[in-house]
Amino acid sequence: MSLKHGIKKLLRPHGREAFLDTLPKGAHVLDVGCGSNSPYLVKMQRPDLHYVGLDVGDYNQTVDPTRFADEYILTPPEKFADAIAALGCRFDAVISSHNIEHCDDPDGVLKAMSRALRKNGKLYMSWPSEPSLHFPSRKGCLNFHDDPTHQHMPSFDAVVGTVESEGAVATFKSRAYKPPLPWLVGLLLEPISAVTKKKVAFMQATWAFYGFESVVFFSRNA
């Protein structure tokens, strides 16, 4: 693990990097909505993983995803849940990082992701928190509606309930994730962010200060 990934894990103990470090060697991972160089970032952190990336297009990929993904699948938005289901129950982990709010059929996607997990498989989910509907607007997205590709605000209770109805159990839940160190940086830099209308990118500090993300870890025990 690189120093950069180690710092991210320290600052965000329930972020994606920390989740990936809990996986066994050689685990099969499905990344649902794998834009923003996710194939590259995941494989740089955990080159031992068998990585399957699924998306509706090459979203914000500055590094060719086919160079790093063991399997890279593009599917039309209306067939997204079906494409997940077609992969079968073969994954030790599923990642859904800021994806569910973009889906045409979020309930179908939640069920398909849950069913893709093997016994003892794990699911990481993050998405904009419900309070973000009322946050101020910032570049980089702080208010839910800052991103025009957001379709539906996921209900925290509904997301957890749907996944748990499919046999998984939430092992960590945060309706508005505020990791302490990034939250403190966000507090200190909020006057600058508010005046410039720019999201403070460093450590996702503004997100942490406001509690922009909902984060849940799930585990399937049967």
Side-chain angles (χ1 to χ4, degrees), residues 54-206:
L54 175 72
D55 215 328
V56 298
D58 292 320
Y59 174 73
N60 198 25
Q61 303 281 14
T62 61
V63 180
D64 182 0
T66 62
R67 289 177 52 200
F68 297 93
D70 297 285
E71 301 174 54
Y72 184 62
I73 303 164
L74 298 180
T75 186
E78 65 274 14
K79 296 183 178 179
F80 199 63
D82 291 338
I84 298 169
L87 294 171
C89 177
R90 64 181 177 100
F91 294 98
D92 301 295
V94 175
I95 302 168
S96 175
S97 179
H98 287 266
N99 171 72
I100 198 67
E101 66 272 19
H102 298 273
C103 295
D104 291 352
D105 178 17
D107 193 60
V109 170
L110 286 170
K111 291 177 180 178
M113 291 193 302
S114 304
R115 295 168 186 172
L117 292 172
R118 294 170 173 166
K119 182 179 180 180
N120 297 321
K122 300 178 180 181
L123 168 61
Y124 168 83
M125 289 194 67
S126 62
W127 67 92
S129 64
E130 290 169 83
S132 72
L133 287 167
H134 309 292
F135 290 167
S137 179
R138 301 279 168 87
K139 292 180 181 179
C141 191
L142 183 60
N143 182 286
F144 180 82
H145 297 294
D146 286 340
D147 187 338
T149 67
H150 286 171
Q151 295 198 47
H152 314 282
M153 168 55 75
S155 160
F156 185 88
D157 291 332
V159 169
V160 173
T162 298
V163 175
E164 291 195 329
S165 73
E166 294 294 330
V169 176
T171 58
F172 172 80
K173 296 189 291 185
S174 178
R175 291 178 182 270
Y177 187 43
K178 298 181 178 181
L181 288 177
W183 179 91
L184 179 59
V185 173
L187 171 65
L188 296 174
L189 297 182
E190 175 58 14
I192 298 173
S193 179
V195 169
T196 62
K197 303 297 183 183
K198 293 182 180 179
K199 178 176 70 70
V200 178
F202 179 62
M203 298 190 302
Q204 296 181 328
T206 302

